[in-house]
Amino acid sequence: MKLRFELAGAVSGIAIVCSAVAAQADVLFWSTQARPAEEAQAMREVVLSGSDIAVDYQPNETGPWLTRLQAESQAGSGTIGLLGSLHGDFAALDPAMLAPLDDLGLAASSETFNELSKLGTDTMKYIPWMQASYVMAANKKALPYLPEGADIDALTYDQLIEWSANVQEGEGRPLFGFPAGPKGLKHRFFQGYLYPSYTDGVVRTFASAEAEAAWEKFLELWEHTNPASTNFSFMQEQLLSDDAWIVFDHTSRLAQAFNERPDDFVAFPAPAGPTGRGFMPVLAGLAIPATAADMESSKAVLDYMMQPETQIATLRATNFFPVVEVELPDDLPPAVQATGAAIATMSAAEDANPGLLPAGLGDQGGEFDRVFVDTFERIVLARQPIRAVLDDQKTRLNDIMQETGAPCWAPDAASEGPCPVE
């Protein structure tokens, strides 16, 4: 099966500090990704083993990663040859710290992502590397209830609501499932899917008239949602138990359902609204510091990382998806095959409108997420007036942005200084 994949994903884990080995390697690969010990080992022994140039792979937490990069940039010379990190980490840098990469001829299929990689300049400052995301999934028993003429790979929110209503009417119970439980990732749906699809923003547009329309639309969907969703956190469980036939969740939280019963379920892109098909890619990329000692060797390793065979090896090592066109092996888990196809279709859609992970919030990230969770609970669960809730929460959100000084991220328009809540 041939699929076109786009961008990149984040992995958490332990920090591994740089050692004297770095000086002996041709290229020091300084990364915030694939940090868990088993993933770092797979990167060294499998993914990078085929490189013609010796590579010292050293993953670190974001703090040490940034500190060393900044020190070398200030010194005007350094030993880091290749950088791997999230879009948000690169976006926080002075673009002059990174070498232009247009001459490599490498790019993602999505023009939106290629534009993001320029970091506001005229040249690509990083190359998309891998991606994780959230998708929709459904029990195949729900497919006969699709609205007439609807394409499951290009649904609108109105069609999703109609589909969920059809299922409820036909089966006698609401079977849309939403991860609204204490450990559910509901805030990511609002930040990366609903808001971009209806407001073309997240922070600037938080209390806009378009945001009111978005919450009204979600209330329509909630009418056909299993009321037990307030206890749902990993939607794979509800798919397997038959408590939900149509769901939204992170790919990793759907994997069990596809791996246990691959013939029973289908994965598909998130729906589109008036301002596009909002979705939240966890973007990561590969870049080269402007201070790299051997620019040609660094570029050769970066090129190697983007080859189809290397991308497949990276998928096996990290469970995050390739960004180039690859022929997927038949022995990959069913969940990878299914959700990977949905991510590829969603990312490459003409109306794709990515809502990136929040960036620059520091220890206020949890408070930022809480704004969206509380807004959901007040509007949807407590049925408080939408406008009153948005006006109230707007003040709280603005305080967070001012305190952190975080600039806007896509799809919000760029800002100088803290992203304004307009």
Side-chain angles (χ1 to χ4, degrees):
M1 175 171 53
K2 181 169 287 188
L3 302 173
R4 183 175 297 279
F5 289 91
E6 329 283 339
L7 293 177
V11 193
S12 62
I14 62 172
I16 302 176
V17 296
C18 183
S19 68
V21 178
Q24 301 170 6
D26 287 2
V27 173
L28 170 60
F29 189 165
W30 195 242
S31 176
T32 64
Q33 304 306 291
R35 293 198 305 260
E38 65 276 10
E39 293 184 9
Q41 181 179 2
M43 287 292 293
R44 296 185 184 105
E45 298 180 359
V46 180
V47 176
L48 292 164
S49 62
S51 173
D52 293 334
I53 297 173
V55 181
D56 178 26
Y57 182 75
Q58 293 292 344
N60 276 264
E61 298 283 353
T62 303
W65 179 87
L66 180 60
T67 298
R68 177 165 178 171
L69 175 60
Q70 289 175 329
E72 293 191 359
S73 179
Q74 292 169 3
S77 64
T79 58
I80 300 173
L82 186 63
L83 295 163
S85 199
L86 298 178
H87 167 83
D89 295 328
F90 288 128
L93 301 175
D94 179 349
M97 296 171 64
L98 306 175
L101 300 173
D102 298 78
D103 61 324
L104 290 176
L106 300 172
S109 302
S110 166
E111 287 306 315
T112 300
F113 292 149
N114 292 332
E115 192 63 29
L116 288 173
S117 74
K118 295 178 182 180
L119 302 178
T121 72
D122 295 329
T123 60
M124 295 186 76
K125 290 294 188 174
Y126 71 79
I127 301 297
W129 178 19
M130 55 186 182
Q131 169 184 272
S133 194
Y134 304 72
V135 296
M136 304 289 296
N139 190 312
K140 290 183 179 179
K141 291 186 292 186
L143 297 182
Y145 292 106
L146 275 166
E148 184 177 355
D151 178 356
I152 195 171
D153 287 329
L155 291 176
T156 66
Y157 275 92
D158 285 334
Q159 289 174 326
L160 175 62
I161 292 167
E162 183 180 352
W163 185 17
S164 300
N166 292 345
V167 171
Q168 181 176 0
E169 182 178 356
E171 298 298 321
R173 58 191 177 114
L175 286 169
F176 182 79
F178 188 70
K183 296 183 179 179
L185 298 174
K186 50 189 173 292
H187 51 288
R188 297 304 189 209
F189 173 81
F190 303 124
Q191 296 164 2
Y193 293 78
L194 189 67
Y195 261 80
S197 296
Y198 278 84
T199 77
D200 199 26
V202 180
V203 176
R204 288 180 180 271
T205 60
F206 175 80
S208 62
E210 291 79 10
E212 282 190 81
W215 285 108
E216 288 169 356
K217 191 61 62 176
F218 189 79
L219 280 170
E220 290 183 40
L221 180 59
W222 193 257
E223 292 301 313
H224 310 293
T225 299
N226 186 329
S229 287
T230 51
N231 296 315
F232 296 167
S233 293
F234 290 72
M235 296 311 303
Q236 59 196 7
E237 299 169 4
Q238 281 66 51
L239 285 174
L240 289 170
S241 67
D242 218 37
D243 288 324
W245 283 11
I246 308 169
V247 305
F248 161 89
D249 214 337
H250 191 281
T251 56
S252 66
R253 294 178 174 219
L254 297 170
Q256 182 183 359
F258 284 96
N259 288 336
E260 288 188 12
R261 289 162 44 192
D263 294 333
D264 290 349
F265 307 110
V266 59
F268 54 97
T275 56
R277 192 169 304 277
F279 74 104
M280 180 173 275
V282 182
L283 309 180
L286 298 171
I288 298 175
T291 54
D294 186 344
M295 193 65 67
E296 292 308 310
S297 291
S298 294
K299 289 182 177 181
V301 175
L302 198 162
D303 183 80
Y304 167 79
M305 290 299 297
M306 302 309 300
Q307 297 306 307
E309 297 82 3
T310 315
Q311 289 275 293
I312 291 173
T314 303
L315 168 61
R316 293 187 185 278
T318 66
N319 289 315
F320 288 86
F321 295 102
V323 305
V324 296
E325 190 169 312
V326 298
E327 190 73 30
L328 286 180
D330 294 334
D331 61 347
L332 289 174
V336 173
Q337 300 276 359
T339 59
I343 290 174
T345 302
M346 186 165 60
S347 300
E350 290 185 2
D351 57 356
N353 191 13
L356 302 184
L357 279 168
L361 298 175
D363 60 5
Q364 291 295 303
E367 287 302 308
F368 180 87
D369 294 341
R370 173 53 58 185
V371 169
F372 288 86
V373 172
D374 287 351
T375 301
F376 159 73
E377 292 179 349
R378 291 177 62 180
I379 291 174
V380 179
L381 302 185
R383 297 303 172 108
Q384 296 178 16
I386 296 175
R387 171 45 54 195
V389 173
L390 293 180
D391 286 343
D392 186 29
Q393 295 291 92
K394 173 182 178 178
T395 300
R396 185 176 168 199
L397 179 59
N398 188 64
D399 288 344
I400 293 172
M401 303 313 296
Q402 293 299 319
E403 180 179 342
T404 62
C408 297
W409 56 86
D412 277 311
S415 64
E416 292 187 10
C419 191
V421 187
E422 297 172 344

